[in-house]
Amino acid sequence: MNMLEDAQYKEITDAEVTEALTDGIRQIGNCLNAFGNAFPYACSVNRFYEPGPNRNWTAGFYTGEVWLAYENADLAGPFSKDFFKVKAEAQVRSFLQRINDKNDVDHHDMGFLYSPSCVAAYKLTGSREGRQAALLAADQLITRFQPVGKFIQAWGRMGEADNYRFIIDCLLNLPLLYWASEESKDSKYRDIAEQHIHTAMANVIREDDSTWHTVYMDMNTGKFSHGATCQGYKDGSAWARGQAWGVYGTAVAYKYTHQKEYLSYFKRVTNYFLQHLPSDLRPFWDLSFGNGMEEQEPRDTSSAAIAACGMLEMSKYLRENGEEDEAVRYTSYAKKLLKALYDHDRVTDPHMSNGVLLHGTYSKKSPYNTCTPEGVDECVIWGDYYWMEALNRLHNPGWNIYW
Ligand code: GLY
């Protein structure tokens, strides 16, 4: 039996969703007032974000939060819908400038940057600037396609041997390409997305249903070369956020391709994630750590928020496929993860933090990984965003997703 079936685990209630969403919107409104047109950095320091320029792979999550606040502004007390719209539109202009200037866009994270900011702007308000920026970002993203191996190269100079790899996170960059094909009526974006999805699905899931963070492809044969971690504990372990990107990533892969086997890939990756949670349901930063490690290892609450969004998204398609019981089950698991975050990790008072969700981990150094350490046991801006997205999904079940 899945641990989450145990009666001790409760689902987040509608009243708790409304309360947490309201608190989150207040935090976002306060941050907008304090930061002006600046963006929070990827992670907080001692629970407080510093303002800075539009940079890194993470700025889009902040604008995404502002759009979620805009969509739920009736809950927001002193902040009006128009307040959030004006602020979000200023940020969209900054994204247009960033892609026009090609400022810090030579990597694969165009979807993380441009879906929750500019695609959202276009979907919600018909923003021409948002549309233009997102199409340019899609053009930028497809420049990273590697035909030998059929994948989008994540990082570094194109074709470099030590960068000839994709990473599991990239599945969330691909909705931008589907959107671009739909808008431009040019199938080239979707064709590349589909080739990448196929390569990722064939190579990223290991036999035990855990996932590789990064996958190197052979530059000559185009076949799988080897897997490696960057931000996980070690190569064979399951980085919690990578597994969570796999949960949401398989859900969006199914959304866009309707490949039946992706339903089962989703279940494998998700079940592994759920079965490797500690008993309070708040993931350690790597799923190889379990109960008893509370003093030694930090959590990554952003992983739980991402996985919850993925489960809520896939529940729609499970239902469409006649798997009603599975849809109900994964929806319930998502609500239980969110209840754990509600009880332990949300910011309830602006004096605690200027973020929304506590106890995320960006990159923790281990003796075996290659990451640059930062943001350990802090707010992380995508954790805030996905927590808000998950709450919004429950509050507005017909929500038109930004991805
Ligand atoms: N996509 C980078 C990360 O999850 O840290």
Side-chain angles (χ1 to χ4, degrees), residues 195-261:
Q195 291 181 70
H196 181 100
I197 287 176
H198 183 73
T199 303
M201 291 297 171
N203 294 294
V204 88
I205 306 175
R206 298 186 287 227
E207 259 183 22
D208 67 353
D209 301 338
S210 65
T211 51
W212 291 113
H213 176 197
T214 89
V215 173
Y216 283 90
M217 302 300 282
D218 186 298
M219 294 178 76
N220 299 310
T221 64
K223 301 248 184 300
F224 177 92
S225 165
H226 61 283
T229 199
C230 171
Q231 285 156 277
Y233 180 67
K234 61 181 181 184
D235 284 348
S237 71
W239 177 45
R241 196 160 60 255
Q243 195 79 14
W245 291 135
V247 174
Y248 204 165
T250 48
V252 291
Y254 182 82
K255 168 182 159 76
Y256 286 108
T257 63
H258 282 83
Q259 290 284 318
K260 285 270 197 278
E261 66 265 32

Side-chain angles (χ1 to χ4, degrees), residues 57 112 169 231 239 241 245 362 382:
W57 65 280
F112 283 127
D169 323 26
Q231 285 156 277
W239 177 45
R241 196 160 60 255
W245 291 135
Y362 187 178
W382 59 91

Side-chain angles (χ1 to χ4, degrees), residues 146-341:
Q146 291 289 10
V148 178
K150 299 190 171 63
F151 66 97
I152 293 173
Q153 186 183 314
W155 305 315
R157 218 149 27 87
M158 289 297 285
E160 265 176 350
D162 59 355
N163 274 311
Y164 208 72
R165 60 176 161 174
F166 68 89
I167 73 173
I168 191 166
D169 323 26
C170 189
L171 291 168
L172 272 295
N173 283 319
L174 305 178
L176 177 70
L177 298 183
Y178 283 94
W179 172 85
S181 272
E182 205 176 294
E183 273 307 307
S184 65
K185 311 288 176 238
D186 185 337
S187 63
K188 71 181 175 202
Y189 306 100
R190 184 178 53 231
D191 291 346
I192 285 179
E194 245 152 53
Q195 291 181 70
H196 181 100
I197 287 176
H198 183 73
T199 303
M201 291 297 171
N203 294 294
V204 88
I205 306 175
R206 298 186 287 227
E207 259 183 22
D208 67 353
D209 301 338
S210 65
T211 51
W212 291 113
H213 176 197
T214 89
V215 173
Y216 283 90
M217 302 300 282
D218 186 298
M219 294 178 76
N220 299 310
T221 64
K223 301 248 184 300
F224 177 92
S225 165
H226 61 283
T229 199
C230 171
Q231 285 156 277
Y233 180 67
K234 61 181 181 184
D235 284 348
S237 71
W239 177 45
R241 196 160 60 255
Q243 195 79 14
W245 291 135
V247 174
Y248 204 165
T250 48
V252 291
Y254 182 82
K255 168 182 159 76
Y256 286 108
T257 63
H258 282 83
Q259 290 284 318
K260 285 270 197 278
E261 66 265 32
Y262 296 171
L263 294 169
S264 73
Y265 293 177
F266 164 83
K267 290 176 198 168
R268 287 171 55 195
V269 171
T270 304
N271 293 347
Y272 186 97
F273 182 88
L274 297 173
Q275 283 157 9
H276 290 80
L277 293 174
S279 53
D280 67 4
L281 306 187
R282 300 162 59 237
F284 288 104
W285 66 283
D286 191 288
L287 297 175
S288 58
F289 302 117
N291 292 328
M293 296 301 280
E294 290 75 10
E295 298 299 314
Q296 290 99 312
E297 296 296 343
R299 313 294 181 135
D300 177 26
T301 53
S302 75
S303 304
I306 294 163
C309 289
M311 287 189 274
L312 294 173
E313 180 64 14
M314 193 55 131
S315 293
K316 297 193 283 196
Y317 312 119
L318 290 166
R319 193 162 279 127
E320 276 171 23
N321 269 279
E323 296 190 43
E324 179 64 27
D325 290 355
E326 294 284 70
V328 169
R329 235 160 40 81
Y330 284 110
T331 299
S332 174
Y333 297 159
K335 289 182 174 176
K336 289 175 179 177
L337 294 194
L338 295 171
K339 172 66 172 160
L341 299 182

